[in-house]
Amino acid sequence: TFASGWVRYLFVDSSDPNRCSALLNEGQWLDDKYTNWQPQGCMLNNYQPAQVKTCLSSKRVVFAGDSVTRQLFFAFAHIADPSLPQQVPHSDQKHSDHHLVAKKSDLALDFYWDPYLNGTLVRSLVDGRSQKTALLVLGSGLWYLRYSTESGGLAAWESMIDTTFAGIEKNMPSLADKVIYLPVEHPISSKLSAERAAFIHDADVDAMNSDLLHRVSSVPTVPFLDLAPVLLPSSPIALPFTFNKMLTASQTNDGLHFSDKILKTQANILLNYRCNDVLPKKFPMDKTCCRSYPYPSFLQGLVILIVVGYGPLAYYMKPKLAARPKLAALAASPEISWAISIFGGALALMFFADRMPMWMKEQKQFDTYTFAGVCLLSIAAGLGTVTKADKDMGFLNRDQTDEWKGWMQIAILIYHYYGASKISGIYNPIRVLVASYLWMTGYGHFTFYYKKADFGFLRIAQVMVRLNLLTVALAYVMNTDYVFYYFAPLVSLWFLVIYGTMVAGSKYNGNLGFMVTKLLMSMGVMTYVFKSGWIIEALFAGLARFCNIQWSAREWMFRVTLDMWIVYVGMFCALAYIKIKERKLTDSGIWPTLYHGSIFLSVLSLIWYFWFELSQPNKFAYNGYHPYISFIPVLAFIVLRNATPTLRKSTSRVFAFIGQCSLETFIMQYHFWLAGDTKGILMVLPFGTRWRALNLIVSTIMFIYLSHEVADATGYMTNWICGAARKRPAATLPPPVTAPTRENGSASNGGVPESIPLIAQSAPTPPNGGTPAREIIFDVNRLAPVSPQGSSKDIPSAAETSLSVESSQQHNSHWLNRLLEAPLSPVPQWNASRATRNRIFSAWTDASSSGVGLGVKTGLILASLWLLNIMWPST
């Protein structure tokens, strides 16, 4: 698909790289309500008055022609300024000139009634004797047929076209910025009046349009590809033949004049043709018809070069630097280099996909039956791959949470692909799925910090790097912003809140009353911070002033407050579960009653929730209730999913597979699989709109494969950046880890082995009583990558890369080796600046560094990002 995309772009579409001809000549309706017109291979922008102002402020647009042109004029004016009329104000003004002004943009709009295009005003326009216009739209033809006796018929029309086209070609570009000549409208013959039908014949209309087509364009032919007529380089006149393809009998009463929906789309095509390439080229890049992509700035290009090039360069250079071990220490190991190469290659592919015209992009379209069918197929795939473990895997076990994340992610992806956000009954449950992810965040991190009591900086770094590495890289490579990918920032915020809550007075965490009070206080503080608004606005203003970070405080507060308390519900659930296990409440006589009652209540809760959300008038009304009720379906699902041992030991392999890369699929969909920064869909096949179903299958396979590879690579890179040694995956599932004993000497879970969901397990203490291996929060459950040749012969052995005294002395003269030397104690040649540099380089190159070394790394990374932000050009 990558190769076919380039072949189409370089050879087939070389004469129309910005898809202007495709916009004007090819397309189809995606819906049966005639509101979503799809040009061939590009995304149509529905213009708003503010965008019209940006493009046409204080300029002049002229329409001239017959009643069809007049209708289009009023539709165009109404888009520019909704206060302007959509049609002729009075019936007696149909055959008159009209002058309108769009107030906000000071755009002058003129219509000249001239159905034969031979009047004085039109002649002055064509001959260049009038003021230059931003857009000139001419249309004529049907009057020559309807009144052929008076007008001279086809011969007179052809003579007028010769004169008009010759004048335009002679006087451009001083005549207008863009000139549009409308094709002769193809009438709906069955609805024409008898008088019109007697003179207006389909064969004559076809002959006139064929004459126009051959004057200004040529039609390339390539098997299996839908190709639009291409404007001849010498012609300054554009003909939107796609206008006739929009016409349908259900949208006209008289066979000639069509509905406002058709006219609005036609006017939008004119605006896309004139204005798309003039509008500011910043994200979201959702206007891809007749628009060139911006070139990366120097800094953006440099970031892309580093991200894409470092991995292959380090992989190639590492063996060659074996004789200079300290210089080699700055290059990642072959295993890490290969992971960085995959990560950089994925980012490059996303840049090609969503910042270059290599692959076509098209609009989303929601269809109830298609949406339901894809959902049912996904459910069938999940249920068809259910496997059972040999024993009860426990409440919210790791496989179950992977499965949960997987099916939720599939639902969110389908929802985004088909643009279902406008359907309140679908939007509302999807909000619950996002809340479920946040519930898991609260539950999992609370469980870890309560049981492990490990508040060291290493875990913070691992979690934050793993969550944000891809998001931060995309923000710079794609020239977007961090908050745009709201999920990773949202989960990161709540992780830091959980950490701050748990570390405050951590030695008293075993006291139930203290813990409950602390959680309630944290909830109150976060509620005030985000509900008051002024704190976040002040913070974002400071980021804009001192860091050149332009984030929307209003959008961020909306994202956070929409799921304001679900994280705390997860934390309270974790606390409740731990206390139930500690106090062995499951062995009490009342437990069976509570067990059956919770199942019954969960079923009723789900029924009530779906009734409630479907009864809301729209999604905006539902949003007001969501923060207060989202926990109901989440807890109901958890109870039902863990209701029996059979359910707890059953897992869908397909859903769990997707769940293992749910973070990557959520983020990467913005630029790969979807397109236009999530506003459209990516067409990886070069065959056009009619191959959408096949394109969905192929692009989905590519997307899921790439997401898994990036998830794998990000795990390696997280451990490399944070200085944690990577564990090798076990051949079988690891046994549950017994919870550590608390201060009173009793196990926190009553002595019953219990795995901690949503996080990886800690390495056990060595048998010799030595120091236990450090915990790896985000392990990569795959074997080490091999070299591109399929073998590991290029990976140097430990002996080849070890730092021996002899090699250090032999290459001591190299400047980097001298810089890396860190004397154990002050000597006459010792100085503070060299020692500081030594500590910085040692912290970065020492794979096992943590503590102070990890802090130095973090400081260097943050300082680099700050400097990059300060220097980043504004858009």
Side-chain angles (χ1 to χ4, degrees):
T1 60
F2 186 79
S4 65
W6 276 112
V7 168
R8 171 156 188 158
Y9 175 66
L10 294 176
F11 299 101
V12 180
D13 294 334
S14 58
S15 57
D16 185 30
N18 296 332
R19 311 206 65 78
C20 288
S21 292
L23 167 70
L24 297 174
N25 295 291
E26 289 294 331
Q28 65 184 63
W29 292 110
L30 294 180
D31 63 335
D32 56 6
K33 296 180 179 179
Y34 307 103
T35 59
N36 192 6
W37 177 259
Q38 176 59 68
Q40 183 67 45
C42 62
M43 296 170 61
L44 188 70
N45 180 38
N46 289 315
Y47 269 79
Q48 302 299 321
Q51 294 175 316
V52 175
K53 179 180 179 180
T54 301
C55 173
L56 298 173
S57 178
S58 302
K59 295 184 179 179
R60 180 173 178 243
V61 171
V62 175
F63 286 69
D66 53 17
S67 60
V68 173
T69 312
R70 183 191 63 223
Q71 272 196 304
L72 185 58
F73 165 78
F74 280 102
F76 189 101
H78 189 71
I79 293 176
D81 186 347
S83 67
L84 296 177
Q86 285 185 278
Q87 54 188 350
V88 179
H90 304 286
S91 59
D92 59 351
Q93 297 178 340
K94 288 184 177 181
H95 297 172
S96 303
D97 297 342
H98 296 274
H99 175 75
L100 302 174
V101 177
K103 295 179 180 178
K104 291 184 178 180
S105 57
D106 194 29
L107 169 64
L109 298 127
D110 289 302
F111 170 74
Y112 299 144
W113 170 255
D114 190 351
Y116 299 113
L117 290 183
N118 59 3
T120 304
L121 288 174
V122 172
R123 288 298 101 198
S124 66
L125 282 171
V126 172
D127 294 340
R129 292 181 281 110
S130 182
Q131 177 187 357
K132 181 178 179 179
T133 64
L135 179 66
L136 174 61
V137 181
L138 304 174
S140 175
L142 292 178
W143 275 57
Y144 280 95
L145 298 178
R146 173 68 178 85
Y147 302 102
S148 58
T149 304
E150 297 89 344
S151 66
L154 288 177
W157 174 85
E158 186 173 358
S159 176
M160 180 272 296
I161 292 295
D162 290 337
T163 303
T164 302
F165 278 37
I168 293 173
E169 291 173 356
K170 177 182 178 182
N171 295 294
M172 285 292 284
S174 60
L175 180 70
D177 294 334
K178 298 283 186 180
V179 176
I180 294 280
Y181 193 92
L182 301 178
V184 182
E185 185 177 85
H186 210 295
I188 306 300
S189 301
S190 60
K191 292 194 173 185
L192 289 176
S193 63
E195 295 82 4
R196 288 171 174 169
F199 294 95
I200 301 176
H201 303 133
D202 290 345
D204 292 333
V205 173
D206 291 338
M208 297 165 82
N209 284 326
S210 178
D211 180 270
L212 292 173
L213 177 65
H214 288 89
R215 286 174 183 268
V216 300
S217 63
S218 62
V219 183
T221 56
V222 178
F224 307 109
L225 298 182
D226 297 326
L227 300 178
V230 178
L231 292 175
L232 297 174
S234 59
S235 176
I237 306 170
L239 281 85
F241 285 102
T242 191
F243 281 17
N244 277 336
K245 297 181 180 181
M246 296 179 183
L247 307 181
T248 179
S250 65
Q251 297 299 303
T252 180
N253 294 322
D254 61 4
L256 284 180
H257 304 97
F258 289 81
S259 68
D260 292 339
K261 291 188 289 187
I262 301 291
L263 293 168
K264 180 180 179 181
T265 302
Q266 292 178 342
N268 261 312
I269 287 179
L270 298 183
L271 283 165
N272 276 256
Y273 177 70
R274 171 59 180 84
C275 294
N276 274 3
D277 211 33
V278 178
L279 296 181
K281 295 182 180 180
K282 59 182 180 179
F283 86 98
M285 297 288 186
D286 57 348
K287 299 171 278 292
T288 64
C289 294
C290 207
R291 179 178 172 92
S292 60
Y293 283 94
Y295 289 103
S297 66
F298 172 78
L299 275 180
Q300 185 184 358
L302 183 61
V303 169
I304 295 172
L305 181 64
I306 292 173
V307 170
V308 176
Y310 175 78
L313 181 63
Y315 189 91
Y316 174 77
M317 293 299 297
K318 186 74 172 181
K320 299 182 180 299
L321 296 174
R324 297 179 177 180
K326 291 187 177 180
L327 183 60
L330 289 177
S333 67
E335 183 180 64
I336 299 299
S337 298
W338 188 244
I340 297 174
S341 299
I342 293 173
F343 183 84
L347 288 170
L349 189 60
M350 284 185 274
F351 183 87
F352 279 118
D354 210 21
R355 291 296 183 268
M356 295 187 70
M358 177 187 71
W359 278 321
M360 297 185 293
K361 292 93 177 171
E362 294 192 349
Q363 291 139 210
K364 301 177 182 180
Q365 173 58 38
F366 178 80
D367 177 76
T368 303
Y369 297 106
T370 304
F371 180 85
V374 174
C375 289
L376 290 174
L377 287 175
S378 301
I379 293 172
L383 295 178
T385 56
V386 171
T387 59
K388 292 184 179 180
D390 296 332
K391 59 180 180 179
D392 189 338
M393 298 299 291
F395 177 76
L396 280 180
N397 59 79
R398 182 61 179 270
D399 289 343
Q400 186 185 125
T401 54
D402 280 343
E403 175 199 89
W404 188 8
K405 290 185 290 183
W407 71 257
M408 289 195 303
Q409 188 58 41
I410 291 173
I412 292 172
L413 290 172
I414 297 173
Y415 163 84
H416 284 158
Y417 193 87
Y418 288 103
S421 61
K422 297 179 182 179
I423 313 300
S424 177
I426 300 174
Y427 167 88
N428 303 338
I430 292 297
R431 292 308 321 165
V432 172
L433 301 189
V434 176
S436 299
Y437 279 110
L438 296 176
W439 184 94
M440 282 191 275
T441 297
Y443 185 94
H445 290 303
F446 178 94
T447 301
F448 173 84
Y449 281 122
Y450 189 90
K451 289 191 172 186
K452 299 293 185 181
D454 175 10
F455 298 102
F457 183 65
L458 176 60
R459 176 179 168 81
I460 299 174
Q462 288 173 319
V463 173
M464 294 299 288
V465 171
R466 179 65 180 86
L467 287 175
N468 294 285
L469 185 59
L470 177 60
T471 303
V472 171
L474 277 174
Y476 291 106
V477 170
M478 307 300 290
N479 196 19
T480 57
D481 68 47
Y482 173 69
V483 175
F484 175 62
Y485 311 93
Y486 75 92
F487 183 73
L490 195 60
V491 177
S492 300
L493 167 70
W494 284 115
F495 165 72
L496 295 176
V497 171
I498 294 167
Y499 174 83
T501 302
M502 295 300 292
V503 75
S506 57
K507 64 180 179 179
Y508 302 110
N509 282 351
N511 185 304
L512 181 60
F514 175 80
M515 179 58 72
V516 171
T517 302
K518 185 166 64 167
L519 291 179
L520 291 175
M521 290 179 62
S522 175
M523 185 186 302
V525 170
M526 289 297 293
T527 301
Y528 175 76
V529 167
F530 281 93
K531 289 290 186 179
S532 64
W534 67 270
I535 297 177
I536 301 301
E537 290 175 357
L539 175 62
F540 279 34
L543 291 174
R545 180 174 181 180
F546 299 108
C547 303
N548 194 28
I549 294 176
Q550 310 297 328
W551 293 345
S552 170
R554 181 178 180 182
E555 175 69 16
W556 181 237
M557 286 188 289
F558 168 76
R559 293 292 185 185
V560 174
T561 55
L562 197 56
D563 295 296
M564 188 75 240
W565 299 294
I566 192 67
V567 173
Y568 291 102
V569 174
M571 296 169 73
F572 275 114
C573 288
L575 178 62
Y577 179 73
I578 291 171
K579 293 303 177 182
I580 289 172
K581 299 295 290 183
E582 285 181 354
R583 301 179 184 186
K584 300 182 179 179
L585 296 181
T586 55
D587 297 333
S588 64
I590 198 175
W591 184 255
T593 303
L594 293 175
Y595 167 75
H596 291 98
S598 64
I599 294 176
F600 179 73
L601 184 61
S602 296
V603 173
L604 289 181
S605 297
L606 283 179
I607 294 174
W608 174 85
Y609 170 77
F610 282 109
W611 168 81
F612 177 81
E613 68 96 0
L614 289 172
S615 67
Q616 297 306 301
N618 52 58
K619 67 180 184 180
F620 304 106
Y622 171 81
N623 282 342
Y625 295 101
H626 177 78
Y628 307 98
I629 66 172
S630 62
F631 73 93
I632 296 174
V634 173
L635 297 185
F637 168 79
I638 294 169
V639 170
L640 296 177
R641 181 64 180 83
N642 292 272
T644 67
T646 300
L647 289 173
R648 289 193 295 272
K649 66 183 179 181
S650 300
T651 307
S652 168
R653 289 180 295 170
V654 166
F655 291 160
F657 179 80
I658 301 299
Q660 292 167 6
C661 62
S662 57
L663 176 64
E664 284 68 31
T665 54
F666 199 103
I667 297 170
M668 290 173 58
Q669 65 170 320
Y670 281 67
H671 306 295
F672 196 82
W673 200 59
L674 300 181
D677 296 317
T678 75
K679 304 298 183 181
I681 62 173
L682 186 66
M683 303 293 290
V684 298
L685 299 180
F687 307 131
T689 306
R690 60 179 177 173
W691 295 86
R692 273 198 174 201
L694 180 61
N695 180 81
L696 173 61
I697 297 171
V698 174
S699 64
T700 300
I701 294 172
M702 295 167 58
F703 172 61
I704 298 301
Y705 170 78
L706 192 64
S707 297
H708 253 276
E709 290 298 315
V710 172
D712 193 346
T714 307
Y716 278 97
M717 294 171 66
T718 298
N719 293 333
W720 172 61
I721 292 171
C722 297
R726 177 181 171 274
K727 291 192 304 180
R728 289 294 179 186
T732 58
L733 290 173
V737 177
T738 303
T741 23
R742 305 193 65 81
E743 295 175 356
N744 60 9
S746 62
S748 60
N749 63 351
V752 180
E754 182 63 42
S755 61
I756 301 175
L758 309 183
I759 60 174
Q761 308 296 343
S762 297
T765 303
N768 59 7
T771 304
R774 282 180 294 175
E775 181 187 10
I776 305 303
I777 306 301
F778 299 100
D779 194 13
V780 183
N781 296 318
R782 292 192 182 184
L783 297 176
V786 297
S787 65
Q789 292 78 16
S791 67
S792 59
K793 64 181 181 179
D794 293 330
I795 302 177
S797 64
E800 292 174 321
T801 58
S802 63
L803 300 180
S804 64
V805 175
E806 179 181 357
S807 63
S808 176
Q809 293 174 347
Q810 180 179 356
H811 301 285
N812 189 43
S813 59
H814 195 276
W815 68 271
L816 186 57
N817 289 341
R818 295 197 303 272
L819 184 63
L820 286 171
E821 287 177 352
L824 299 177
S825 59
V827 294
Q829 295 80 17
W830 183 89
N831 62 73
S833 61
R834 172 173 289 189
T836 301
R837 291 197 304 268
N838 291 342
R839 284 195 295 271
I840 292 174
F841 277 93
S842 297
W844 190 262
T845 58
D846 182 4
S848 63
S849 64
S850 61
V852 176
L854 183 57
V856 172
K857 279 187 179 182
T858 304
L860 288 173
I861 292 173
L862 293 178
S864 300
L865 293 179
W866 174 81
L867 183 62
L868 194 58
N869 286 336
I870 293 297
M871 299 173 62
W872 200 266
S874 59
T875 55

